Coordinates of all heavy atoms in Angstrom, one line a residue:
M12 N 100.7 34.7 169.5 CA 99.8 34.2 168.6 C 100.5 33.2 167.7 O 101.6 33.6 167.1 CB 99.1 35.3 167.8 CG 98.2 34.9 166.8 SD 97.4 36.3 166.1 CE 95.9 35.4 165.7
K13 N 100.0 32.0 167.6 CA 100.6 31.0 166.7 C 100.2 31.2 165.2 O 99.0 31.5 165.0 CB 100.3 29.6 167.1 CG 100.8 29.3 168.5 CD 100.9 27.8 168.7 CE 101.5 27.5 170.0 NZ 102.9 27.6 170.1
L14 N 101.1 31.1 164.3 CA 100.8 31.3 162.9 C 100.4 30.0 162.3 O 100.9 28.9 162.7 CB 102.0 31.9 162.2 CG 102.5 33.2 162.7 CD1 103.8 33.6 162.0 CD2 101.5 34.3 162.5
K15 N 99.6 30.0 161.2 CA 99.2 28.8 160.5 C 100.4 28.2 159.8 O 100.5 27.0 159.7 CB 98.1 29.1 159.6 CG 96.8 29.4 160.3 CD 95.7 29.7 159.3 CE 94.4 30.1 160.0 NZ 93.3 30.4 159.0
K16 N 101.2 29.1 159.2 CA 102.4 28.6 158.5 C 103.6 29.6 158.9 O 103.3 30.8 159.2 CB 102.2 28.6 157.0 CG 101.9 29.9 156.4 CD 101.7 29.8 154.9 CE 101.4 31.2 154.3 NZ 101.3 31.1 152.9
P17 N 104.8 29.1 158.9 CA 105.9 30.0 159.3 C 106.1 31.1 158.4 O 105.8 31.0 157.2 CB 107.1 29.0 159.2 CG 106.6 27.7 159.2 CD 105.2 27.7 158.6
D18 N 106.6 32.3 158.9 CA 106.8 33.4 158.1 C 108.1 33.2 157.3 O 108.7 32.2 157.4 CB 106.8 34.7 158.9 CG 107.9 34.7 159.9 OD1 108.8 33.8 159.9 OD2 108.0 35.7 160.7
R19 N 108.6 34.3 156.6 CA 109.7 34.1 155.7 C 111.0 33.9 156.6 O 112.0 33.4 156.0 CB 109.9 35.3 154.9 CG 110.2 36.6 155.6 CD 110.4 37.7 154.7 NE 110.6 38.9 155.6 CZ 111.0 40.1 155.1 NH1 111.1 40.2 153.8 NH2 111.2 41.1 155.9
N20 N 111.0 34.2 157.9 CA 112.1 33.9 158.7 C 112.0 32.5 159.4 O 112.9 32.2 160.2 CB 112.3 35.0 159.7 CG 112.6 36.3 159.1 OD1 113.3 36.4 158.0 ND2 112.2 37.4 159.7
G21 N 111.0 31.8 159.2 CA 110.8 30.5 159.8 C 110.1 30.5 161.2 O 110.1 29.5 161.9
E22 N 109.7 31.7 161.6 CA 109.0 31.9 162.9 C 107.6 31.3 162.8 O 106.9 31.5 161.9 CB 109.0 33.3 163.3 CG 110.3 34.0 163.5 CD 111.1 33.4 164.6 OE1 110.5 33.0 165.7 OE2 112.4 33.4 164.5
N23 N 107.2 30.6 163.9 CA 105.9 30.0 164.0 C 104.9 30.8 164.8 O 103.7 30.4 164.8 CB 106.0 28.6 164.5 CG 106.7 27.6 163.6 OD1 106.5 27.8 162.4 ND2 107.4 26.7 164.1
E24 N 105.4 31.7 165.6 CA 104.5 32.6 166.3 C 104.9 34.0 166.4 O 106.1 34.3 166.1 CB 104.3 32.0 167.8 CG 105.6 32.0 168.6 CD 105.4 31.4 170.0 OE1 104.4 30.6 170.1 OE2 106.2 31.7 170.8
I25 N 104.0 34.9 166.6 CA 104.3 36.3 166.7 C 103.8 36.8 168.0 O 102.8 36.5 168.5 CB 103.6 37.0 165.5 CG1 104.0 38.5 165.4 CG2 102.1 36.9 165.6 CD1 103.6 39.1 164.1
V26 N 104.7 37.7 168.6 CA 104.4 38.3 169.9 C 104.4 39.8 169.7 O 105.4 40.4 169.3 CB 105.4 37.9 171.0 CG1 105.1 38.5 172.3 CG2 105.5 36.4 171.1
I27 N 103.3 40.4 170.1 CA 103.1 41.9 170.0 C 102.6 42.4 171.3 O 101.6 41.9 171.8 CB 102.2 42.3 168.8 CG1 102.7 41.7 167.5 CG2 102.1 43.8 168.7 CD1 101.7 41.8 166.4
F28 N 103.2 43.4 171.8 CA 102.7 44.1 173.0 C 102.0 45.3 172.6 O 102.5 46.1 171.8 CB 103.9 44.5 173.9 CG 104.6 43.3 174.5 CD1 105.8 42.9 174.0 CD2 104.0 42.6 175.6 CE1 106.4 41.8 174.5 CE2 104.7 41.5 176.1 CZ 105.9 41.1 175.5
T29 N 100.8 45.5 173.1 CA 100.0 46.7 172.7 C 99.1 47.1 173.9 O 98.9 46.4 174.8 CB 99.0 46.3 171.5 OG1 98.3 47.5 171.2 CG2 98.1 45.2 171.8
M30 N 98.7 48.4 173.8 CA 97.9 48.9 174.9 C 96.4 49.1 174.4 O 95.7 49.8 175.0 CB 98.5 50.2 175.4 CG 99.8 50.0 176.0 SD 100.5 51.5 176.8 CE 99.4 51.8 178.1
L31 N 96.1 48.5 173.3 CA 94.8 48.6 172.7 C 93.8 47.8 173.7 O 94.2 46.8 174.2 CB 94.7 48.0 171.3 CG 95.5 48.8 170.3 CD1 95.5 48.1 169.0 CD2 94.9 50.2 170.1
P32 N 92.6 48.2 173.8 CA 91.6 47.5 174.7 C 91.3 46.2 174.1 O 90.9 46.1 172.9 CB 90.4 48.5 174.7 CG 90.6 49.4 173.6 CD 92.0 49.5 173.2
T33 N 91.3 45.2 174.9 CA 91.0 43.8 174.4 C 89.6 43.6 173.9 O 89.5 43.0 172.9 CB 91.3 42.8 175.6 OG1 92.6 43.0 176.1 CG2 91.1 41.4 175.1
P34 N 88.6 44.1 174.5 CA 87.3 43.9 173.9 C 87.1 44.5 172.6 O 86.3 44.0 171.7 CB 86.3 44.5 174.9 CG 87.1 44.8 176.2 CD 88.5 44.8 175.8
T35 N 87.8 45.6 172.3 CA 87.6 46.3 171.0 C 88.4 45.7 169.9 O 87.9 45.5 168.8 CB 88.1 47.8 171.2 OG1 87.4 48.3 172.3 CG2 87.8 48.6 170.0
V36 N 89.7 45.3 170.2 CA 90.5 44.8 169.1 C 91.1 43.4 169.5 O 91.6 43.2 170.6 CB 91.7 45.7 168.9 CG1 92.6 45.2 167.8 CG2 91.2 47.1 168.6
T37 N 90.9 42.4 168.6 CA 91.4 41.1 169.0 C 92.9 40.9 168.6 O 93.4 41.8 167.9 CB 90.6 40.0 168.1 OG1 90.9 40.2 166.8 CG2 89.1 40.1 168.4
A38 N 93.5 39.9 169.1 CA 94.9 39.6 168.9 C 95.1 39.4 167.4 O 96.2 39.8 166.8 CB 95.4 38.5 169.7
A39 N 94.2 38.7 166.7 CA 94.3 38.4 165.3 C 94.4 39.7 164.5 O 95.2 39.8 163.5 CB 93.2 37.5 164.9
V40 N 93.5 40.7 164.8 CA 93.5 41.9 164.1 C 94.8 42.7 164.3 O 95.4 43.2 163.3 CB 92.3 42.8 164.5 CG1 92.4 44.2 164.0 CG2 91.0 42.1 164.1
V41 N 95.3 42.7 165.5 CA 96.6 43.4 165.8 C 97.7 42.7 165.0 O 98.6 43.4 164.4 CB 96.9 43.4 167.3 CG1 98.2 44.0 167.6 CG2 95.8 44.3 168.0
A42 N 97.8 41.4 165.1 CA 98.8 40.7 164.4 C 98.8 40.9 162.9 O 99.8 41.1 162.2 CB 98.7 39.2 164.7
Q43 N 97.6 40.9 162.3 CA 97.5 41.2 160.8 C 97.9 42.6 160.5 O 98.6 42.8 159.5 CB 96.0 40.9 160.4 CG 95.8 41.1 158.9 CD 96.7 40.1 158.1 OE1 96.9 38.9 158.5 NE2 97.1 40.5 156.9
L44 N 97.5 43.6 161.2 CA 97.9 44.9 161.0 C 99.5 45.1 161.1 O 100.1 45.8 160.3 CB 97.2 45.9 161.9 CG 95.8 46.1 161.7 CD1 95.1 46.9 162.8 CD2 95.5 46.7 160.4
Y45 N 100.0 44.4 162.1 CA 101.5 44.5 162.3 C 102.2 43.8 161.1 O 103.2 44.4 160.6 CB 101.9 43.8 163.6 CG 103.4 43.7 163.8 CD1 104.0 44.9 164.2 CD2 104.1 42.6 163.6 CE1 105.4 44.9 164.4 CE2 105.5 42.6 163.8 CZ 106.1 43.7 164.2 OH 107.5 43.8 164.4
R46 N 101.7 42.7 160.6 CA 102.4 42.0 159.5 C 102.3 42.9 158.2 O 103.2 42.9 157.4 CB 101.8 40.6 159.3 CG 102.1 39.7 160.4 CD 101.5 38.4 160.3 NE 102.3 37.6 159.3 CZ 102.1 36.4 158.9 NH1 100.9 35.8 159.2 NH2 102.9 35.8 158.1
E47 N 101.1 43.6 158.0 CA 101.0 44.4 156.9 C 101.9 45.6 157.0 O 102.5 46.1 156.0 CB 99.6 44.9 156.8 CG 98.6 43.8 156.3 CD 97.2 44.2 156.4 OE1 96.9 45.4 156.6 OE2 96.3 43.3 156.2
R48 N 102.1 46.1 158.2 CA 103.0 47.3 158.4 C 104.4 46.9 158.1 O 105.2 47.6 157.5 CB 103.0 47.7 159.9 CG 103.9 48.9 160.2 CD 104.0 49.1 161.7 NE 104.6 48.0 162.4 CZ 105.9 47.9 162.6 NH1 106.8 48.7 162.1 NH2 106.4 46.9 163.2
R49 N 104.8 45.7 158.4 CA 106.2 45.2 158.1 C 106.4 45.1 156.6 O 107.5 45.5 156.1 CB 106.4 43.8 158.7 CG 106.7 43.9 160.2 CD 107.0 42.6 160.8 NE 108.1 41.9 160.1 CZ 108.4 40.6 160.4 NH1 107.7 39.9 161.2 NH2 109.4 40.0 159.7
S50 N 105.4 44.8 155.8 CA 105.5 44.7 154.4 C 105.7 46.1 153.8 O 106.4 46.3 152.8 CB 104.4 44.0 153.7 OG 103.2 44.7 153.9
V51 N 105.0 47.1 154.4 CA 105.2 48.5 153.9 C 106.6 49.0 154.2 O 107.2 49.6 153.4 CB 104.1 49.4 154.5 CG1 104.4 50.8 154.2 CG2 102.7 49.0 154.0
E52 N 107.0 48.7 155.4 CA 108.4 49.1 155.8 C 109.4 48.4 154.9 O 110.4 49.1 154.5 CB 108.7 48.7 157.3 CG 107.9 49.6 158.2 CD 108.2 49.3 159.7 OE1 108.9 48.2 159.9 OE2 107.7 50.0 160.5
N53 N 109.2 47.2 154.5 CA 110.2 46.5 153.6 C 110.1 47.1 152.3 O 111.2 47.3 151.6 CB 109.8 45.0 153.5 CG 110.1 44.2 154.8 OD1 110.9 44.7 155.6 ND2 109.5 43.1 154.9
L54 N 109.0 47.6 151.8 CA 108.9 48.3 150.5 C 109.7 49.6 150.6 O 110.5 49.8 149.7 CB 107.4 48.7 150.2 CG 107.2 49.7 149.1 CD1 107.6 49.1 147.7 CD2 105.9 50.3 149.1
F55 N 109.5 50.4 151.6 CA 110.3 51.6 151.7 C 111.8 51.3 151.8 O 112.6 52.1 151.2 CB 109.8 52.5 152.9 CG 108.5 53.2 152.7 CD1 107.5 53.0 153.5 CD2 108.4 54.0 151.6 CE1 106.3 53.6 153.3 CE2 107.2 54.7 151.4 CZ 106.1 54.5 152.2
Q56 N 112.2 50.3 152.5 CA 113.6 49.9 152.6 C 114.1 49.6 151.2 O 115.2 50.0 150.8 CB 113.8 48.8 153.6 CG 115.3 48.4 153.8 CD 116.0 49.5 154.5 OE1 115.5 50.2 155.3 NE2 117.3 49.6 154.2
T57 N 113.4 48.8 150.5 CA 113.8 48.4 149.1 C 113.9 49.6 148.2 O 114.9 49.7 147.5 CB 112.8 47.4 148.5 OG1 112.7 46.3 149.4 CG2 113.2 47.0 147.1
V58 N 113.0 50.5 148.3 CA 113.0 51.7 147.4 C 114.2 52.5 147.8 O 114.9 53.1 146.9 CB 111.6 52.5 147.5 CG1 111.8 53.8 146.9 CG2 110.5 51.7 146.9
T59 N 114.4 52.7 149.1 CA 115.5 53.5 149.5 C 116.9 53.0 149.1 O 117.7 53.7 148.6 CB 115.5 53.7 151.1 OG1 114.3 54.2 151.5 CG2 116.6 54.6 151.6
E60 N 117.0 51.7 149.2 CA 118.3 51.1 148.8 C 118.5 51.0 147.3 O 119.6 51.3 146.8 CB 118.4 49.7 149.4 CG 118.6 49.7 150.9 CD 118.6 48.3 151.5 OE1 118.3 47.3 150.8 OE2 118.8 48.2 152.7
N61 N 117.5 50.5 146.6 CA 117.7 50.2 145.2 C 117.5 51.4 144.3 O 118.1 51.4 143.2 CB 116.7 49.1 144.7 CG 117.0 47.8 145.5 OD1 118.2 47.6 145.8 ND2 116.0 47.0 145.7
Y62 N 116.7 52.4 144.6 CA 116.4 53.5 143.7 C 117.1 54.8 144.2 O 116.9 55.8 143.6 CB 114.9 53.7 143.6 CG 114.3 52.5 143.0 CD1 113.5 51.6 143.8 CD2 114.4 52.1 141.7 CE1 112.8 50.5 143.2 CE2 113.8 51.0 141.1 CZ 113.1 50.2 141.9 OH 112.5 49.1 141.4
E63 N 117.9 54.7 145.2 CA 118.6 55.8 145.8 C 117.7 57.1 145.9 O 118.0 58.1 145.3 CB 119.8 56.1 144.9 CG 120.8 55.0 144.8 CD 122.0 55.3 143.9 OE1 122.3 56.5 143.7 OE2 122.7 54.4 143.6
C64 N 116.6 56.9 146.6 CA 115.7 58.0 146.7 C 116.1 59.1 147.6 O 115.4 60.1 147.7 CB 114.3 57.5 147.0 SG 114.2 56.7 148.7
Q65 N 117.2 58.9 148.4 CA 117.6 59.9 149.3 C 119.0 60.4 148.8 O 120.0 60.1 149.3 CB 117.8 59.4 150.7 CG 116.4 59.0 151.3 CD 116.5 58.5 152.7 OE1 117.6 58.3 153.3 NE2 115.4 58.2 153.3
I66 N 119.0 61.3 147.8 CA 120.2 61.8 147.3 C 120.6 63.0 148.1 O 119.8 63.9 148.4 CB 120.0 62.2 145.8 CG1 119.7 61.0 145.0 CG2 121.2 62.9 145.3 CD1 119.4 61.2 143.5
Q67 N 121.9 63.1 148.5 CA 122.4 64.1 149.4 C 122.4 65.5 148.8 O 122.3 66.5 149.4 CB 123.7 63.7 150.0 CG 123.8 62.4 150.7 CD 122.9 62.5 152.0 OE1 122.7 63.5 152.6 NE2 122.3 61.3 152.3
T68 N 122.6 65.5 147.4 CA 122.7 66.8 146.8 C 121.4 67.5 146.7 O 121.4 68.7 146.4 CB 123.3 66.6 145.4 OG1 122.4 65.8 144.6 CG2 124.7 66.1 145.4
L69 N 120.3 66.9 146.9 CA 119.0 67.5 146.8 C 118.7 68.2 148.2 O 118.2 67.5 149.1 CB 117.9 66.5 146.4 CG 117.9 66.0 145.0 CD1 116.8 64.9 144.9 CD2 117.8 67.0 144.0
G70 N 119.0 69.4 148.3 CA 118.9 70.1 149.6 C 117.5 70.7 149.8 O 117.2 71.3 150.8
Y71 N 116.7 70.6 148.7 CA 115.3 71.2 148.8 C 114.3 70.2 149.1 O 114.2 69.1 148.4 CB 115.0 71.9 147.4 CG 116.1 72.9 147.0 CD1 117.1 72.6 146.2 CD2 116.1 74.2 147.6 CE1 118.1 73.5 145.8 CE2 117.0 75.1 147.3 CZ 118.0 74.8 146.4 OH 119.0 75.7 146.1
P72 N 113.4 70.4 150.1 CA 112.4 69.4 150.4 C 111.5 69.0 149.3 O 111.2 67.8 149.1 CB 111.6 70.0 151.5 CG 112.6 71.1 152.1 CD 113.4 71.5 151.0
K73 N 111.1 69.9 148.4 CA 110.2 69.6 147.3 C 110.9 68.7 146.3 O 110.3 67.8 145.8 CB 109.7 70.9 146.7 CG 108.7 71.6 147.5 CD 108.2 72.9 146.8 CE 107.2 73.6 147.7 NZ 106.7 74.9 147.0
A74 N 112.2 69.0 146.1 CA 112.9 68.1 145.1 C 113.2 66.7 145.7 O 113.0 65.8 144.9 CB 114.3 68.8 144.8
A75 N 113.5 66.6 146.9 CA 113.6 65.3 147.6 C 112.3 64.5 147.6 O 112.4 63.3 147.3 CB 114.2 65.5 149.0
L76 N 111.2 65.2 147.8 CA 109.9 64.5 147.8 C 109.6 64.0 146.4 O 109.1 62.9 146.2 CB 108.8 65.4 148.3 CG 107.4 64.9 148.4 CD1 107.4 63.7 149.3 CD2 106.4 65.9 148.8
F77 N 109.9 64.9 145.4 CA 109.6 64.5 144.0 C 110.5 63.3 143.6 O 109.9 62.4 143.0 CB 109.9 65.7 143.1 CG 109.8 65.4 141.6 CD1 108.5 65.2 141.1 CD2 110.9 65.3 140.8 CE1 108.3 64.9 139.8 CE2 110.7 65.0 139.5 CZ 109.4 64.8 138.9
W78 N 111.7 63.3 144.0 CA 112.6 62.2 143.7 C 112.1 60.9 144.4 O 112.1 59.8 143.8 CB 114.0 62.5 144.1 CG 115.0 61.5 143.6 CD1 115.6 60.5 144.3 CD2 115.5 61.4 142.3 NE1 116.5 59.8 143.5 CE2 116.4 60.4 142.2 CE3 115.3 62.1 141.1 CZ2 117.1 60.0 141.1 CZ3 115.9 61.7 140.0 CH2 116.8 60.7 140.0
F79 N 111.7 61.0 145.6 CA 111.1 59.8 146.3 C 109.9 59.3 145.6 O 109.7 58.1 145.5 CB 110.8 60.2 147.8 CG 110.3 59.0 148.6 CD1 111.2 58.0 148.9 CD2 109.0 59.0 149.0 CE1 110.7 56.9 149.6 CE2 108.5 57.9 149.7 CZ 109.4 56.8 150.0
C80 N 109.0 60.2 145.2 CA 107.8 59.8 144.5 C 108.1 59.1 143.2 O 107.5 58.1 142.8 CB 106.9 61.0 144.2 SG 106.1 61.6 145.8
L81 N 109.1 59.6 142.5 CA 109.6 59.0 141.2 C 110.1 57.6 141.5 O 109.8 56.6 140.8 CB 110.6 59.8 140.5 CG 110.2 61.0 139.7 CD1 111.4 61.7 139.1 CD2 109.2 60.6 138.6
A82 N 110.8 57.4 142.6 CA 111.3 56.1 143.0 C 110.1 55.1 143.3 O 110.2 53.9 142.9 CB 112.2 56.2 144.2
L83 N 109.1 55.6 144.0 CA 107.9 54.8 144.2 C 107.2 54.4 143.0 O 106.8 53.2 142.8 CB 106.9 55.5 145.2 CG 107.4 55.6 146.7 CD1 106.3 56.4 147.5 CD2 107.5 54.2 147.3
V84 N 107.0 55.3 142.1 CA 106.3 55.0 140.8 C 107.1 54.0 140.0 O 106.6 53.1 139.5 CB 106.2 56.3 140.0 CG1 105.7 56.0 138.5 CG2 105.1 57.2 140.6
T85 N 108.5 54.2 140.0 CA 109.3 53.2 139.3 C 109.2 51.8 139.9 O 109.1 50.8 139.2 CB 110.8 53.6 139.4 OG1 110.9 55.0 138.8 CG2 111.7 52.7 138.6
H86 N 109.1 51.8 141.2 CA 109.0 50.5 141.9 C 107.6 49.8 141.6 O 107.5 48.6 141.3 CB 109.1 50.6 143.4 CG 109.1 49.3 144.1 ND1 107.9 48.7 144.5 CD2 110.0 48.5 144.6 CE1 108.1 47.6 145.1 NE2 109.4 47.4 145.2
N87 N 106.6 50.6 141.5 CA 105.2 50.1 141.2 C 105.2 49.6 139.8 O 104.6 48.5 139.5 CB 104.2 51.2 141.4 CG 103.9 51.4 142.9 OD1 104.1 50.6 143.7 ND2 103.3 52.6 143.2
I88 N 105.8 50.3 138.9 CA 105.8 49.8 137.5 C 106.6 48.5 137.4 O 106.1 47.6 136.7 CB 106.4 50.9 136.5 CG1 105.5 52.1 136.4 CG2 106.7 50.3 135.2 CD1 106.1 53.3 135.8
L89 N 107.7 48.4 138.0 CA 108.5 47.2 138.0 C 107.8 46.1 138.6 O 107.8 44.9 138.1 CB 109.9 47.4 138.6 CG 110.9 46.3 138.6 CD1 111.2 46.0 137.1 CD2 112.1 46.7 139.3
A90 N 107.1 46.3 139.7 CA 106.4 45.2 140.4 C 105.2 44.8 139.5 O 104.9 43.6 139.5 CB 105.8 45.8 141.8
T91 N 104.5 45.7 138.8 CA 103.4 45.3 137.9 C 104.0 44.4 136.8 O 103.4 43.4 136.5 CB 102.8 46.6 137.4 OG1 102.3 47.3 138.5 CG2 101.6 46.2 136.5
V92 N 105.1 44.8 136.2 CA 105.6 44.0 135.1 C 106.1 42.6 135.6 O 105.8 41.6 135.0 CB 106.8 44.8 134.5 CG1 107.6 43.9 133.5 CG2 106.4 46.0 133.8
R93 N 106.7 42.6 136.8 CA 107.1 41.3 137.3 C 105.9 40.4 137.6 O 105.9 39.2 137.4 CB 107.9 41.5 138.6 CG 109.3 42.0 138.4 CD 110.0 42.1 139.7 NE 111.4 42.6 139.5 CZ 112.1 43.1 140.4 NH1 111.7 43.2 141.7 NH2 113.4 43.4 140.2
G94 N 104.8 41.0 138.1 CA 103.6 40.3 138.4 C 102.9 39.7 137.1 O 102.5 38.6 137.1
V95 N 102.9 40.5 136.1 CA 102.4 40.0 134.8 C 103.2 38.9 134.2 O 102.7 37.9 133.8 CB 102.3 41.2 133.8 CG1 102.0 40.7 132.4 CG2 101.2 42.2 134.2
I96 N 104.5 39.1 134.3 CA 105.4 38.0 133.8 C 105.2 36.7 134.6 O 105.1 35.6 134.1 CB 106.9 38.5 133.8 CG1 107.1 39.6 132.7 CG2 107.8 37.3 133.6 CD1 108.4 40.2 132.8
A97 N 105.2 36.8 135.9 CA 105.0 35.7 136.8 C 103.7 35.0 136.5 O 103.6 33.8 136.5 CB 105.1 36.1 138.3
T98 N 102.6 35.7 136.4 CA 101.3 35.2 136.1 C 101.3 34.5 134.7 O 100.7 33.5 134.5 CB 100.2 36.3 136.1 OG1 100.3 36.9 137.4 CG2 98.8 35.7 135.9
H99 N 101.9 35.2 133.8 CA 101.9 34.6 132.4 C 102.7 33.3 132.4 O 102.2 32.4 131.8 CB 102.6 35.7 131.5 CG 102.5 35.3 130.0 ND1 101.3 35.3 129.3 CD2 103.5 34.8 129.2 CE1 101.6 34.9 128.1 NE2 102.9 34.6 128.0
T100 N 103.8 33.3 133.0 CA 104.6 32.0 133.1 C 103.9 30.9 133.9 O 103.9 29.8 133.5 CB 106.0 32.3 133.7 OG1 106.6 33.4 133.0 CG2 106.9 31.1 133.7
W101 N 103.2 31.3 135.0 CA 102.6 30.4 135.9 C 101.4 29.7 135.2 O 101.1 28.6 135.4 CB 102.1 31.1 137.2 CG 101.5 30.2 138.1 CD1 102.1 29.3 139.0 CD2 100.1 30.1 138.5 NE1 101.2 28.7 139.7 CE2 100.0 29.2 139.5 CE3 99.0 30.8 138.0 CZ2 98.7 28.8 140.0 CZ3 97.8 30.4 138.6 CH2 97.7 29.5 139.5
C102 N 100.7 30.5 134.4 CA 99.5 29.9 133.7 C 99.9 29.0 132.6 O 99.0 28.3 132.0 CB 98.7 31.1 133.1 SG 97.9 32.0 134.4
G103 N 101.2 28.9 132.2 CA 101.6 28.0 131.2 C 101.5 28.7 129.8 O 101.7 28.0 128.8
K104 N 101.3 30.0 129.8 CA 101.2 30.7 128.5 C 102.6 31.2 128.1 O 103.2 31.9 128.9 CB 100.2 31.9 128.6 CG 98.8 31.4 128.9 CD 98.0 32.7 129.1 CE 96.6 32.3 129.6 NZ 95.8 33.4 129.9
N105 N 103.1 30.8 127.0 CA 104.5 31.3 126.6 C 104.4 32.2 125.4 O 103.7 32.2 124.5 CB 105.4 30.1 126.3 CG 105.7 29.4 127.6 OD1 105.8 30.0 128.7 ND2 105.9 28.1 127.5

């Protein structure tokens, strides 16, 4: 499927192999879902690397899950603040 504009890697088309039935799901829907999945995976990669959400000393599943949730909340707060700052600067309001 050809993209209207290149993605962040400069690619102009996307190729996805699927076993979904053609009459039910179009190529555009599959491509959009795949692109959204990649953004979620990138989020988890960023959280894992930057917030050290997988600490080896936490041998308890509940503690590890709690730490990961804290990392996600921290990322959401930071993304919200960055979005507000970007919008505020972009609008010309200082």
Side-chain angles (χ1 to χ4, degrees):
M12 174 173 211
K13 295 202 181 282
L14 301 174
K15 292 180 183 177
K16 61 180 183 175
D18 63 5
R19 65 180 179 172
N20 296 328
E22 298 291 328
N23 291 325
E24 61 183 22
I25 187 169
V26 178
I27 302 170
F28 294 102
T29 181
M30 296 185 68
L31 295 171
T33 306
T35 308
V36 182
T37 64
V40 170
V41 172
Q43 183 62 32
L44 290 173
Y45 178 75
R46 293 179 81 185
E47 290 173 8
R48 180 191 65 86
R49 283 182 53 192
S50 65
V51 171
E52 287 178 356
N53 290 339
L54 166 74
F55 284 122
Q56 183 68 30
T57 301
V58 168
T59 301
E60 290 175 354
N61 296 328
Y62 300 108
E63 298 180 18
C64 64
Q65 294 182 356
I66 296 177
Q67 299 301 327
T68 58
L69 294 176
Y71 303 100
K73 289 182 181 178
L76 180 62
F77 177 71
W78 190 256
F79 181 72
C80 290
L81 282 178
L83 285 177
V84 168
T85 304
H86 184 276
N87 284 340
I88 292 170
L89 185 60
T91 302
V92 170
R93 285 181 179 164
V95 168
I96 292 172
T98 303
H99 186 72
T100 305
W101 182 75
C102 290
K104 301 174 185 174
N105 291 326

